[in-house]
Amino acid sequence: MSAPLGGDRLSLDITAEDRAELEVTTAAATLALRGPTTAPATYDVRLSVAEHAILRWLPQPLISAAGSNLRQTCTVELDATARLVLREEQLLGRAGEEPGHLVSRILVRRAGRKLLDQHTAYGSPELGWDGPAVLNGNRAVGQLLLVGPGVNARPDPVLLREGSKDGCALLAPLAEGPALLATAVAPTSSVLRELLDEAHAHALGRQRGWSGA
């Protein structure tokens, strides 16, 4: 969708009830654009997953176009036996343009305890977002989160495509698991999707009897 524009306020609430299995995606990429005001747009997603339910949140990428200003949040509430597959992808600028200003937060709680609270910020006026310690010139970034009973989160993180000039991904356990988080950076959206797919396959290769994917 060609939204949100500057000043827009969008929100989405999704609930998977007890023992339900739900997969949610979008028809096309979300395109954040410059609006009639310089005020930031907000896009708030709230996901709830009840006991023994499975939710797969797999939207198409969010594109931060030049001049846009977006604050995006994704808040997830999981019951103790709930299972989650969450994939989010951000593309910083369209072809040949600088990105807008994108601030994103993912907050996940499982059985009332905080599992993940991740903040990211890209584009002007943020400092150092494009430097070697953050994106190192890449323009696509994404996360893949797997949570639920049976997730085999061994203590050692795994770096995928180590030393590659074509992006990389880190798959690591979360302290309050059972959960695995993959974070990837890449030069293009297609390479980013490949990396997240690799991380997903690697994670599933470590599982026994986990049907959350």
Side-chain angles (χ1 to χ4, degrees), residues 79-167:
D79 283 354
T81 57
R83 298 184 182 189
L84 174 72
V85 179
L86 180 150
R87 186 189 69 222
E88 291 205 335
E89 304 168 36
Q90 297 90 32
L91 306 182
L92 305 178
R94 294 170 292 190
E97 74 174 9
E98 289 298 308
H101 186 207
L102 174 61
V103 178
S104 179
R105 181 185 184 190
I106 300 176
L107 174 61
V108 182
R109 284 184 285 259
R110 179 175 180 267
R113 298 185 63 178
K114 188 180 292 185
L115 178 68
L116 174 67
D117 192 353
Q118 181 184 77
H119 297 248
T120 55
Y122 306 113
S124 180
E126 304 296 336
L127 299 177
W129 66 272
D130 196 28
V134 187
L135 294 187
N136 195 30
N138 288 289
R139 284 295 184 268
V141 60
Q143 302 81 35
L144 173 71
L145 176 64
L146 306 178
V147 185
V151 171
N152 180 16
R154 70 185 185 188
D156 297 329
V158 177
L159 184 60
L160 303 176
R161 299 194 187 182
E162 183 176 6
S164 170
K165 296 181 180 179
D166 205 19

Side-chain angles (χ1 to χ4, degrees), residues 23-43:
E23 180 168 313
V24 183
T25 186
T26 53
T30 297
L31 181 59
L33 294 167
R34 180 196 301 270
T37 171
T38 58
T42 61
Y43 182 27

